[in-house]
Amino acid sequence: MISLDDYIIQNFDNSTEDEAVFDIIKNISSGIIQVSEILLGNNNKNIFGDQGAKNIHGEDVQKLDIIATDIFVKELKKSESIKIIGCEELDELQFTDNNSNLSYTVMMDPLDGSSNIDVSISIGSIFGIWKHIPGDINSILLPGNKIELAIYSIYGPNTVLVFGYKSVVCMFILDHFNSKFVLYKDKIKLPDKPKYYSVNESNYSTWDKNIQEYINNIKSNLSLRYVGSLIADFHRNLLKGGVFLYPEDTIKNKSKLRLMYEANPLAYINKLCGGLSVSNGINTLDIIPENIHQSVPLIIGNASLIEQL
Ligand code: AHM
Ligand code: MG
């Protein structure tokens, strides 16, 4: 069994950048273990339910959203190279007082799938990490194709950590008894023959005609699976092959998923696995962001399925 630490030592070099990135992975993985242990704890009654406030997107904030935010902000600040943290639950960017020569920005959705917390369905955390030029505010909002590292976790029947760095995507499973991640799968690639399409079909009437036609066509060859936690739907389709869609609501002129801490990190990992993603007709990773909380439509999965669209 190869632990996350061993994997890192064995597979990457000793450059300052690699060391900084691995320090970030270790601190995020420590946060993931903490969230996972809270979910498994015998005193977890207090973690369910609304916190009583709304976030910048007008959504009810759950207690676990806040718990996870606090854990990850604390862990991320331990990485000397992290200078800026953007988060779904925090209106403004947080600036750390770290002073390494390297400067990274982290964008995170600390608890994805909030509506599934109270009903014991898989939830997760998503992180995108970019390098920025110190002191240059214009270098903070970068497109997804400039991501250095993307990580996500899933808290489900087991706790999973997936990261994409350089050209490799690997998946680890948490050994709860020893509180450490163990390698499950290395060099992940999307299967050639996709199985699933995933979309909230109750929104059908709000979609553009092209999307409606596309769904009508693909459903004859694919089976429908929809969890309602982006991260769980994405992860299943990554391993089994498929397409996930959250199209724009053309009646309200509104998209739901957020570019910087949902769409981009997953689009980056999906690309490393041989897949493709589009938002508003262009590659999701090419979008120049306007602000940290920007929403975008997202269609992501096997390249062959996206190309049909
Ligand atoms: P969250 O980050 O507050 O949990 O919201 C995003 C979630 C995604 O995980 C999921 O894909 C989507 O919302 C589900 O939305 P819907 O209930 O409209 O299908
Ligand atoms: Mg989310």
Side-chain angles (χ1 to χ4, degrees), residues 88 109 111-114 126 230 257-258 261-262:
E88 181 183 353
D109 180 352
L111 216 289
D112 178 59
S114 301
I126 310 173
L230 166 68
L257 299 179
R258 295 72 167 203
Y261 38 80
E262 292 181 321

Side-chain angles (χ1 to χ4, degrees), residues 23-24 27 76-83 96-104:
D23 187 55
I24 296 171
N27 288 328
L76 288 166
K77 282 184 173 170
K78 289 182 188 165
S79 286
E80 277 300 310
S81 61
I82 291 183
K83 307 284 176 64
T96 69
D97 44 23
N98 292 338
N99 54 15
S100 141
N101 290 335
L102 288 169
S103 289
Y104 289 98

